Amino acid sequence: MPEFERDLSKYAELIVKIGANVQQGQDVYVSSQIEGAPLARLVVEHAYKAGAANVVVDWADDALTRLKYDHAADEVFTQFPEWEKLRRNEVVERGGCFIFLNSSNPDLLSGVDPKKIGSYQKASGEALAVYRQATASDKIAWTIAAGATKAWAAKVFPGESMEVSVRKLWQAIFDAVRLHADDPVENWRAHDANLQARAAWLNEQRFDKLRYRAPGTDLTIGLPKGHLWMTAGGTRPDGVGFMKNMPTEEVFTVPHRGGTSGYVSSSKPLSYSGTLIDRFKLTFENGRIVGVEAEEGEEILRQIVETDEGSHYLGEVALVPHRSPISNANILFYNTLYDENASNHLAIGLGFPFTLEGGKTMSPEALREAGVNASVVHVDFMIGRADMDIDGIRADGTAVPVFRGGNWAD
């Protein structure tokens, strides 16, 4: 078997065994671009080998998506198909798992009316409330990975031939997910253990807030009582573990809804629903976003912030060292899954209940009272830089270095 085919199969095995951790008799929902069929088929094969019951692939096509945005009436984007909602809800009810192979063209929706994009994001977020709650509370296993496509490769490696750009993107993906270890599955378990150790140290500190300083950034983020620093590794109620993001380099928690003040500037472009938002700045008062500026994509960014009341607040704070495999590659992926794992980042919108002590079983009202934000959106954006310093502030005002020069302070 040629080397690339072997690597692709090993990658699919990682997604199934470490990402979704497919169990005997479990239903599996796979989402993939049509162009990503070779990887999707291998994922299906490894899922069945792992004992899956039914594996269903939801095929998407960028060309058809663009046709819809170009020609469908505005009111179409205020609706979400009932059958799609029911299909995902059934997977949740049956204890299935979700595998998302994310590889859309970063420029897919360039030039599309931002109102259409915003309307559909809001409609889908509201319709998929049951599914979103299940993923946010670790009720079910899910994972996001990616596969190279021609349009994405051309964006990441402009000026190269199509063959070369696709080959380079696949290599970058394989490197980012640590595929070339002697035993990739065991290597991932060790990597997760290292991240868990970072999370454990942060949880021991019980910081009251974090203070960020960098050019274009002067931000303080309050943390709720009982916040938990987590990794991308999740655990279902029955104790089965899974990995939500592949790759991952982050340790993250939930900010207090009303505790953010100051301003923060982006360090990398944000590719959102096929549009690019770049060189932007957000200003906060009492947790709420009160200022939005962007040199590119400002209208889309404002649409995100205006989605609902919760989208005016933060839902996640994540720490990622500047020295990491993805950052060291010095590649802008135009894909949040990869770019967020090269940089400290924050997220607008939904806060994850599992990042608060007892949060998985709390009511929405109790979560809100504890300071966890609620929204139909969760949009990560990158803020990390090589010259960023972060201090953890205890309740007595003591400052403890957490990051210096973009990396862990120890």
Side-chain angles (χ1 to χ4, degrees):
M1 181 186 294
E3 182 179 359
F4 175 75
E5 280 72 17
R6 283 196 301 271
D7 284 346
L8 197 64
S9 183
K10 287 165 61 178
Y11 181 35
E13 183 180 17
L14 267 182
I15 292 169
V16 168
K17 290 186 175 180
I18 295 294
N21 194 3
V22 174
Q23 300 293 295
Q24 186 74 32
Q26 190 175 35
D27 289 344
V28 182
Y29 173 107
V30 180
S31 174
S32 172
Q33 290 288 318
I34 290 175
E35 191 180 339
L39 175 60
R41 293 184 186 118
L42 286 168
V43 165
V44 171
E45 177 184 346
H46 282 286
Y48 280 125
K49 286 181 177 179
N54 293 299
V55 185
V56 176
V57 181
D58 182 12
W59 297 106
D61 183 350
D62 278 353
L64 296 182
T65 299
R66 180 66 197 224
L67 286 170
K68 179 178 179 178
Y69 275 94
D70 283 344
H71 300 293
D74 289 354
E75 58 266 23
V76 170
F77 299 93
T78 65
Q79 307 159 10
F80 189 83
E82 183 71 10
W83 60 266
E84 176 65 14
K85 180 183 79 171
L86 293 174
R87 180 164 66 165
R88 292 208 194 186
N89 287 354
E90 183 177 356
V91 176
V92 171
E93 291 166 7
R94 290 171 58 86
C97 63
F98 292 84
I99 296 174
F100 298 97
L101 304 177
N102 176 13
S103 50
S104 289
N105 177 2
D107 295 327
L108 176 62
L109 301 185
S110 178
V112 168
D113 182 353
K115 292 181 180 178
K116 288 185 177 181
I117 299 171
S119 293
Y120 191 68
Q121 290 296 323
K122 183 176 182 179
S124 62
E126 292 173 348
L128 297 176
V130 171
Y131 156 78
R132 290 173 64 84
Q133 177 60 26
T135 57
S137 60
D138 281 3
K139 179 180 178 181
I140 57 170
W142 56 279
T143 191
I144 305 175
T149 57
K150 292 177 181 178
W152 183 20
K155 181 73 174 181
V156 177
F157 298 105
E160 301 279 11
S161 69
M162 186 58 67
E163 180 182 357
V164 170
S165 64
V166 170
R167 185 173 67 247
K168 282 187 171 183
L169 182 54
W170 272 120
Q171 187 59 54
I173 289 171
F174 294 157
D175 289 344
V177 298
R178 294 171 159 79
L179 190 70
H180 294 123
D182 291 338
D183 186 336
V185 171
E186 286 304 315
N187 187 53
W188 259 91
R189 290 174 179 148
H191 173 52
D192 183 46
N194 289 334
L195 293 175
Q196 294 282 2
R198 293 289 186 186
W201 179 82
L202 287 163
N203 284 325
E204 290 170 359
Q205 305 308 308
R206 308 314 306 165
F207 291 131
D208 187 60
K209 61 187 71 172
L210 296 177
R211 185 172 60 208
Y212 291 70
R213 298 291 184 273
T217 293
D218 187 349
L219 191 73
T220 299
I221 300 177
L223 303 174
K225 287 183 171 59
H227 69 274
L228 295 172
W229 288 93
M230 310 288 286
T231 71
T235 305
R236 296 184 340 192
D238 59 2
V240 173
F242 60 98
M243 189 65 62
K244 299 164 189 176
N245 292 345
M246 300 186 76
T248 182
E249 304 291 336
E250 67 177 334
V251 178
F252 64 94
T253 192
V254 62
H256 193 288
R257 186 176 190 273
T260 302
S261 61
Y263 56 88
V264 63
S265 296
S266 64
S267 58
K268 293 178 181 291
L270 167 61
S271 181
Y272 180 78
S273 293
T275 62
L276 206 63
I277 307 168
D278 198 9
R279 299 178 299 281
F280 59 92
K281 177 181 177 181
L282 298 177
T283 303
F284 296 81
E285 292 180 5
N286 299 318
R288 186 179 177 87
I289 298 172
V290 295
V292 177
E293 306 170 39
E295 293 185 27
E296 182 177 352
E298 182 172 311
E299 190 173 355
I300 292 290
L301 183 57
R302 290 186 181 277
Q303 288 280 344
I304 295 171
V305 173
E306 295 293 334
T307 300
D308 57 21
E309 178 59 20
S311 57
H312 291 79
Y313 298 84
L314 293 179
E316 180 187 343
V317 50
L319 301 178
V320 180
H322 187 69
R323 289 193 299 268
S324 69
I326 301 173
S327 180
N328 291 344
N330 198 29
I331 295 171
L332 181 60
F333 283 89
Y334 298 96
N335 181 306
T336 302
L337 173 63
Y338 281 76
D339 291 332
E340 74 170 9
N341 281 296
S343 168
N344 288 317
H345 56 274
L346 306 172
I348 294 169
L350 177 70
F352 297 129
F354 59 81
T355 54
L356 189 75
E357 291 177 356
K360 291 182 181 182
T361 58
M362 283 184 180
S363 68
E365 294 75 20
L367 288 167
R368 172 66 181 265
E369 183 67 22
V372 178
N373 191 40
S375 174
V376 300
V377 299
H378 179 93
V379 181
D380 296 284
F381 63 98
M382 287 61 74
I383 64 168
R385 302 166 51 106
D387 49 4
M388 173 169 279
D389 292 339
I390 304 173
D391 287 323
I393 311 299
R394 296 198 174 103
D396 64 1
T398 304
V400 177
V402 177
F403 267 54
R404 287 293 181 268
N407 295 292
W408 294 101
D410 59 13

